[in-house]
């Protein structure tokens, strides 16, 4: 695809998501696809994720808008995000979005998020599952995640310039002008990379905002170690305080 024709770049972290990947990709609105390129990044899945992608492509009329990349060995969420961001920058797109392949985040809202980025001249826009009171509970978010997330977010808001309601959502859109300031090689290789990116944008006074999104939890298995993640979050808070 000619990079000049791309306004949006969407990368999809995909690890053992054979049951959800096709549905997630099918929910990306046609008006978004007309201006976008979508890269599915398979992080060494051990199930039928690759076959699920192939089935989706066989029924998709916009084949040129999709691409598949696979890490042969599981490399971790941070590596997937860095790959997605690097490819997004190289594509020449104005905005780069992360859309998880497990169905927890609303692909159908990408158009709204890209429009908000354009209309409000934003550099980072995060989807919040807590912006609407009670939404996380209604969507099935486990109690320990609601309590832990609220506690960590409260601590983070004491240190960060921009106050947000859900700093641990992975539904994020970035501007290319922000991404071009990063040294991707120095970013985390773990789940805290999203918070690290928000921290850098905050420290450098880029425009950050959030929009509400629905909460969607089913019976999927999380690959996140909550204790290790919590410690990494505290480290990011400390690093941000040093930058102040």
């Amino acid at each position: 695809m000619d990079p000049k024709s791309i306004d949006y770049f969407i990368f999809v972290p995909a690890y053992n998501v054979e049951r959800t990947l096709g549905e997630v990709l099918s929910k990306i609105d046609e008006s978004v696809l007309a201006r976008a390129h979508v890269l599915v990044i398979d992080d060494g899945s051990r199930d039928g994720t690759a076959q699920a992608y192939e089935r989706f492509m066989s029924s998709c009329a916009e084949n040129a808008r999709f691409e598949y990349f696979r890490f042969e060995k599981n490399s971790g969420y941070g590596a997937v995000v860095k790959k997605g961001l690097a490819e997004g920058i190289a594509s020449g797109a104005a905005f780069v979005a992360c859309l998880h392949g497990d169905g927890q985040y609303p692909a159908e809202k990408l158009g709204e998020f890209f429009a908000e980025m354009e209309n409000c001249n934003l550099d980072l826009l995060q989807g919040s599952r807590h912006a609407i009171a009670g939404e996380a509970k209604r969507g099935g978010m486990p109690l320990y995640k609601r309590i832990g997330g609220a506690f960590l977010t409260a601590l983070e808001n004491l240190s960060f310039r921009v106050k947000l309601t859900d700093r641990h959502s992975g539904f994020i859109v970035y501007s290319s002008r922000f991404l071009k300031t990063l040294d991707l090689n120095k970013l985390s290789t773990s789940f805290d990379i999203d918070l690290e990116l928000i921290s850098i944008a905050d420290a450098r006074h880029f425009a950050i905002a959030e929009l509400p999104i629905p909460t969607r939890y089913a019976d999927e298995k999380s690959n996140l170690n909550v204790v290790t993640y919590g410690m990494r979050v505290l480290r990011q808070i400390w690093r941000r305080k040093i930058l102040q």
Side-chain angles (χ1 to χ4, degrees):
M1 177 180 292
D2 181 358
K4 293 181 180 179
S5 67
I6 300 172
D7 294 317
Y8 313 139
F9 187 93
I10 303 163
F11 68 93
V12 183
Y15 179 63
N16 293 343
V17 291
E18 63 176 332
R19 293 187 302 164
T20 56
L21 181 60
E23 182 178 4
V24 169
L25 297 178
S26 69
K27 287 183 177 179
I28 302 175
D29 192 84
E30 291 184 6
S31 63
V32 172
L33 285 178
R35 304 174 60 184
H37 187 68
V38 182
L39 173 65
V40 175
I41 306 176
D42 184 342
D43 191 19
S45 295
R46 299 186 300 272
D47 67 352
T49 293
Q51 290 73 28
Y53 175 77
E54 292 171 359
R55 286 194 298 271
F56 169 77
M57 292 298 290
S58 67
S59 62
C60 177
E62 290 286 347
N63 289 350
R65 296 289 176 179
F66 293 90
E67 182 182 356
Y68 176 86
F69 173 86
R70 175 180 169 85
F71 286 110
E72 289 306 317
K73 294 183 179 180
N74 183 256
S75 300
Y77 178 69
V80 171
V81 171
K82 287 193 278 188
K83 172 67 175 178
L85 296 180
E87 294 295 332
I89 294 169
S91 75
F95 304 107
V96 179
C98 178
L99 173 67
H100 291 203
D102 61 6
Q104 283 196 28
Y105 299 113
E108 67 274 12
K109 291 184 74 70
L110 281 170
E112 177 185 349
F113 272 63
F114 284 130
E116 187 79 358
M117 292 288 288
E118 293 174 321
N119 296 336
C120 298
N121 199 28
L122 298 174
D123 294 294
L124 190 152
L125 182 60
Q126 185 176 36
S128 172
R129 299 159 296 184
H130 301 292
I132 299 175
E135 170 57 33
K137 181 179 180 179
R138 285 191 296 271
M141 181 183 290
L143 179 61
Y144 77 92
K145 286 195 173 184
R146 300 200 306 270
I147 294 175
F151 173 73
L152 291 173
T153 295
L155 288 180
E156 291 160 320
N157 280 337
L158 292 175
S159 300
F160 288 74
R161 178 179 59 91
V162 178
K163 313 306 177 185
L164 299 170
T165 60
D166 185 8
R167 292 184 177 275
H168 307 285
S169 162
F171 190 66
I172 306 176
V173 182
Y174 307 91
S175 74
S176 61
R177 68 185 170 205
F178 164 58
L179 295 178
K180 289 176 181 177
T181 69
L182 302 173
D183 183 347
L184 298 180
N185 293 323
K186 293 183 178 180
L187 295 180
S188 173
T189 59
S190 188
F191 278 96
D192 62 323
I193 189 172
D194 293 336
L195 176 59
E196 185 175 30
L197 288 161
I198 297 171
S199 177
I200 294 171
D202 187 271
R204 296 178 181 175
H205 291 259
F206 282 95
I208 302 171
E210 65 181 13
L211 284 177
I213 59 171
T215 303
R216 295 172 179 170
Y217 273 81
D219 59 351
E220 67 275 349
K221 180 181 178 181
S222 174
N223 299 295
L224 176 66
N225 183 308
V226 294
V227 175
T228 301
Y229 177 72
M231 295 301 295
R232 287 180 175 273
V233 169
L234 294 176
R235 184 186 68 174
Q236 292 297 340
I237 294 173
W238 176 249
R239 290 177 64 186
R240 179 63 183 88
K241 289 182 72 67
I242 293 175
L243 291 172
Q244 289 179 316

